[in-house]
Amino acid sequence: MANIGTNIAEAISFLQAGDVIGMPTETVYGLAGNALDPDAVLRIFSTKNRPQFNPLIVHGSSVEQITNWVRDFPEPARKLAEHFWPGPLTLLLPRSNAIHDLLTAGSDRVAVRVPNHPITQKLLSQLDFPLAAPSANPFGYISPTTAQHVADQLDDAVPYILDGGPCTVGLESTIVGFAPDGTPEVLRFGGISREELEAVVGPVQKVAPVSAQPEAPGRLSSHYAPTTPFVLGKIPDLLQQYSVEKIGILSFQTAYTTAVSEHQVILSEAGNLQEAARNLFGAMRHLDQLGLDIIVAEHVPTHGLGPAINDRLNRAAAAH
Ligand code: TXA
Ligand code: MG
């Protein structure tokens, strides 16, 4: 049974003993372990039931600490790090010898990030090793954005969950790699929008994973998926099409008076995409727990965090 608490010393003692714990970040909660200890890394994979070909992000306390785990920190990467760290940005950089194959699934590039969360900053700065951490959900399910979400699914599998309150961003980090000529390439849009990235490094392109090993996250269709059937489209049309009794609605800003209000979540009445991102995963989990026959949802506007939100919605729908 996991203890949920805010005791950093307790978290540290578990991590030093090779255990994995629930850890808050500004994006989503992570399942954290000593990145330099192969047994702890294996424990992360097994706790999440995650295939080992899907590599892990290494979290550090500062750019200086991260430089120990990478061989090279090219100029555009440095610029992004200086601008967005600590924050919801993950960089793919050539790994140093300290980085085990297990962390990168054999790739020469390691994913690194400095998270922006006060309690986790404190934790990381008191450790002499970085923390490997995937999102703390069972493989294929929705990422957790509160300590309770972690406990709901991994309770018996982790001894401790560090409680940092609800995540302020609510979407996973944006992942950026670099082409041989230094051009930034986005593998996953998340907490940093295209507009924010481009304001710092100029045009970026979105790339699909190239190797046989799925380099980008969630290429597997069941990613981020609720277990209740989940359908995307124009909500009024879907409400007509699926005239089942127990129908859930996940809308961006509109309230649907024809539906049972308890079965409805509005992501942001004000139409604010940051607020919608913060509410998204919690709303999906909530609706998934109501025992509904189906959940209908709609895309959000395509600026700012919109594309990242729509990506998660598409993946949720792709599983059904
Ligand atoms: O916001 C986040 O990024 C959260 C918090 C906990 O930091 N972490 C997270 O981890 O979302 P995860 O494992 O659920 O998603 C990270 C994705 C993986 O699916 C993996 O495909 C990709 O990052 N990744 C990690 N290392 C990589 C590498 N060396 N090369 C290519 N992709 C990598
Ligand atoms: Mg994940």
Side-chain angles (χ1 to χ4, degrees):
M1 278 270 287
N3 259 324
I4 300 182
T6 54
N7 189 333
I8 294 177
E10 199 172 345
I12 290 177
S13 65
F14 282 117
L15 291 166
Q16 283 173 338
D19 273 316
V20 299
I21 63 162
M23 169 181 88
T25 82
E26 77 280 35
T27 59
V28 300
Y29 273 70
L31 182 64
N34 180 349
L36 305 183
D37 172 359
D39 289 332
V41 174
L42 284 171
R43 190 163 295 165
I44 292 173
F45 282 107
S46 63
T47 302
K48 234 188 109 96
N49 199 12
R50 168 163 166 151
Q52 284 178 26
F53 60 71
N54 199 352
L56 303 179
I57 298 174
V58 174
H59 299 71
S61 58
S62 63
V63 182
E64 293 68 48
Q65 198 203 23
I66 294 282
T67 56
N68 294 319
W69 323 121
V70 304
R71 214 170 53 234
D72 187 23
F73 214 130
E75 190 43 39
R78 213 164 261 285
K79 214 163 158 188
L80 285 170
E82 271 162 20
H83 201 275
F84 292 111
W85 281 355
L89 175 74
T90 293
L91 296 173
L92 287 178
L93 296 173
R95 64 169 164 166
S96 78
N97 290 333
I99 297 296
H100 199 278
D101 267 346
L102 274 171
L103 288 166
T104 71
S107 162
D108 186 46
R109 293 193 297 181
V110 62
V112 287
R113 168 164 120 80
V114 178
N116 184 17
H117 189 288
I119 200 170
T120 298
Q121 279 273 332
K122 222 178 216 170
L123 171 73
L124 285 164
S125 65
Q126 289 177 36
L127 293 170
D128 54 9
F129 49 82
L131 292 176
S135 51
N137 48 300
F139 184 66
Y141 198 65
I142 303 158
S143 296
T145 51
T146 66
Q148 189 58 48
H149 290 165
V150 182
D152 287 345
Q153 290 180 305
L154 298 179
D155 195 39
D156 295 329
V158 290
Y160 196 71
I161 302 168
L162 195 55
D163 191 350
C167 299
T168 53
V169 174
L171 293 175
E172 298 86 349
S173 59
T174 293
I175 304 179
V176 178
F178 301 89
D181 69 356
T183 310
E185 297 177 328
V186 178
L187 284 86
R188 172 178 79 184
F189 273 111
I192 303 281
S193 68
R194 174 186 288 275
E195 293 90 324
E196 289 172 293
L197 279 179
E198 293 190 336
V200 177
V201 285
V204 297
Q205 32 179 335
K206 177 98 186 346
V207 294
V210 282
S211 76
Q213 293 180 332
E215 269 207 304
R219 303 313 297 180
L220 303 145
S221 60
S222 67
H223 231 73
Y224 307 105
T227 48
T228 310
F230 188 91
V231 189
L232 269 173
K234 289 200 181 353
I235 289 176
D237 295 351
L238 294 172
L239 288 176
Q240 279 201 328
Q241 190 180 338
Y242 296 95
S243 54
V244 288
E245 200 184 322
K246 290 188 289 172
I247 188 158
I249 301 178
L250 182 60
S251 70
F252 177 48
Q253 15 178 184
T254 313
Y256 290 91
T257 47
T258 48
V260 183
S261 61
E262 291 78 49
H263 295 174
Q264 194 174 159
V265 181
I266 300 167
L267 289 175
S268 170
E269 279 177 28
N272 178 313
L273 288 163
Q274 262 124 354
E275 183 181 31
R278 200 153 51 231
N279 289 333
L280 179 69
F281 289 149
M284 282 166 69
R285 277 177 184 259
H286 171 71
L287 290 170
D288 200 23
Q289 282 158 9
L290 297 178
L292 302 167
D293 297 320
I294 195 166
I295 300 166
V296 298
E298 63 187 355
H299 283 129
V300 303
T302 55
H303 59 269
L305 295 181
I309 295 172
N310 287 336
D311 168 74
R312 305 312 189 270
L313 290 168
N314 289 340
R315 288 174 201 278
H320 299 286

